[in-house]
mmCIF file of all heavy atoms in Angstrom:
data_model
loop_
_atom_site.group_PDB
_atom_site.id
_atom_site.type_symbol
_atom_site.label_atom_id
_atom_site.label_comp_id
_atom_site.label_asym_id
_atom_site.label_seq_id
_atom_site.Cartn_x
_atom_site.Cartn_y
_atom_site.Cartn_z
ATOM 1 N N GLU A 987 23.610 -17.416 48.774
ATOM 2 C CA GLU A 987 23.702 -17.445 47.324
ATOM 3 C C GLU A 987 24.756 -16.457 46.822
ATOM 4 O O GLU A 987 25.408 -16.687 45.796
ATOM 5 C CB GLU A 987 22.351 -17.142 46.696
ATOM 6 C CG GLU A 987 21.301 -18.200 46.981
ATOM 7 C CD GLU A 987 19.984 -17.908 46.291
ATOM 8 O OE1 GLU A 987 19.998 -17.297 45.199
ATOM 9 O OE2 GLU A 987 18.939 -18.292 46.846
ATOM 10 N N GLY A 988 24.936 -15.371 47.559
ATOM 11 C CA GLY A 988 25.995 -14.433 47.215
ATOM 12 C C GLY A 988 27.362 -15.076 47.303
ATOM 13 O O GLY A 988 28.259 -14.773 46.501
ATOM 14 N N ALA A 989 27.544 -15.989 48.253
ATOM 15 C CA ALA A 989 28.806 -16.709 48.368
ATOM 16 C C ALA A 989 29.068 -17.560 47.137
ATOM 17 O O ALA A 989 30.207 -17.651 46.644
ATOM 18 C CB ALA A 989 28.801 -17.573 49.627
ATOM 19 N N LEU A 990 28.021 -18.184 46.610
ATOM 20 C CA LEU A 990 28.162 -18.975 45.384
ATOM 21 C C LEU A 990 28.569 -18.080 44.220
ATOM 22 O O LEU A 990 29.437 -18.436 43.414
ATOM 23 C CB LEU A 990 26.850 -19.690 45.060
ATOM 24 C CG LEU A 990 26.343 -20.727 46.062
ATOM 25 C CD1 LEU A 990 24.982 -21.267 45.617
ATOM 26 C CD2 LEU A 990 27.341 -21.868 46.218
ATOM 27 N N ALA A 991 27.930 -16.924 44.116
ATOM 28 C CA ALA A 991 28.229 -16.000 43.024
ATOM 29 C C ALA A 991 29.655 -15.479 43.125
ATOM 30 O O ALA A 991 30.380 -15.415 42.114
ATOM 31 C CB ALA A 991 27.238 -14.846 43.031
ATOM 32 N N LEU A 992 30.079 -15.096 44.319
ATOM 33 C CA LEU A 992 31.429 -14.573 44.508
ATOM 34 C C LEU A 992 32.463 -15.609 44.087
ATOM 35 O O LEU A 992 33.435 -15.295 43.384
ATOM 36 C CB LEU A 992 31.629 -14.174 45.965
ATOM 37 C CG LEU A 992 32.910 -13.406 46.286
ATOM 38 C CD1 LEU A 992 32.850 -12.004 45.681
ATOM 39 C CD2 LEU A 992 33.113 -13.314 47.797
ATOM 40 N N ALA A 993 32.257 -16.857 44.496
ATOM 41 C CA ALA A 993 33.196 -17.920 44.149
ATOM 42 C C ALA A 993 33.188 -18.198 42.648
ATOM 43 O O ALA A 993 34.244 -18.427 42.036
ATOM 44 C CB ALA A 993 32.851 -19.186 44.922
ATOM 45 N N ALA A 994 31.994 -18.170 42.042
ATOM 46 C CA ALA A 994 31.902 -18.452 40.608
ATOM 47 C C ALA A 994 32.598 -17.382 39.780
ATOM 48 O O ALA A 994 33.321 -17.682 38.819
ATOM 49 C CB ALA A 994 30.440 -18.575 40.196
ATOM 50 N N VAL A 995 32.388 -16.114 40.132
ATOM 51 C CA VAL A 995 33.053 -15.033 39.402
ATOM 52 C C VAL A 995 34.553 -15.104 39.620
ATOM 53 O O VAL A 995 35.345 -14.933 38.682
ATOM 54 C CB VAL A 995 32.486 -13.669 39.822
ATOM 55 C CG1 VAL A 995 33.276 -12.533 39.175
ATOM 56 C CG2 VAL A 995 31.016 -13.561 39.441
ATOM 57 N N ALA A 996 34.978 -15.390 40.844
ATOM 58 C CA ALA A 996 36.408 -15.472 41.149
ATOM 59 C C ALA A 996 37.118 -16.520 40.300
ATOM 60 O O ALA A 996 38.287 -16.344 39.920
ATOM 61 C CB ALA A 996 36.608 -15.776 42.633
ATOM 62 N N ARG A 997 36.434 -17.606 39.988
ATOM 63 C CA ARG A 997 37.047 -18.662 39.183
ATOM 64 C C ARG A 997 37.373 -18.194 37.764
ATOM 65 O O ARG A 997 38.130 -18.848 37.052
ATOM 66 C CB ARG A 997 36.123 -19.881 39.120
ATOM 67 C CG ARG A 997 36.049 -20.671 40.410
ATOM 68 C CD ARG A 997 35.411 -22.026 40.203
ATOM 69 N NE ARG A 997 33.998 -21.932 39.841
ATOM 70 C CZ ARG A 997 32.995 -21.919 40.729
ATOM 71 N NH1 ARG A 997 33.263 -21.977 42.031
ATOM 72 N NH2 ARG A 997 31.745 -21.851 40.319
ATOM 73 N N HIS A 998 36.799 -17.075 37.357
ATOM 74 C CA HIS A 998 37.013 -16.576 36.003
ATOM 75 C C HIS A 998 38.076 -15.485 35.932
ATOM 76 O O HIS A 998 38.270 -14.882 34.866
ATOM 77 C CB HIS A 998 35.691 -16.052 35.433
ATOM 78 C CG HIS A 998 34.711 -17.144 35.147
ATOM 79 N ND1 HIS A 998 33.977 -17.750 36.144
ATOM 80 C CD2 HIS A 998 34.380 -17.757 33.981
ATOM 81 C CE1 HIS A 998 33.211 -18.687 35.595
ATOM 82 N NE2 HIS A 998 33.439 -18.705 34.308
ATOM 83 N N VAL A 999 38.759 -15.238 37.033
ATOM 84 C CA VAL A 999 39.797 -14.204 37.058
ATOM 85 C C VAL A 999 41.171 -14.860 36.973
ATOM 86 O O VAL A 999 41.458 -15.835 37.670
ATOM 87 C CB VAL A 999 39.682 -13.351 38.333
ATOM 88 C CG1 VAL A 999 40.790 -12.304 38.383
ATOM 89 C CG2 VAL A 999 38.312 -12.667 38.388
ATOM 90 N N ALA A 1000 42.002 -14.331 36.111
ATOM 91 C CA ALA A 1000 43.344 -14.860 35.921
ATOM 92 C C ALA A 1000 44.229 -14.531 37.127
ATOM 93 O O ALA A 1000 43.973 -13.563 37.852
ATOM 94 C CB ALA A 1000 43.953 -14.276 34.648
#
Side-chain angles (χ1 to χ4, degrees):
E987 295 183 31
L990 297 176
L992 189 69
V995 174
R997 287 194 293 270
H998 290 78
V999 178

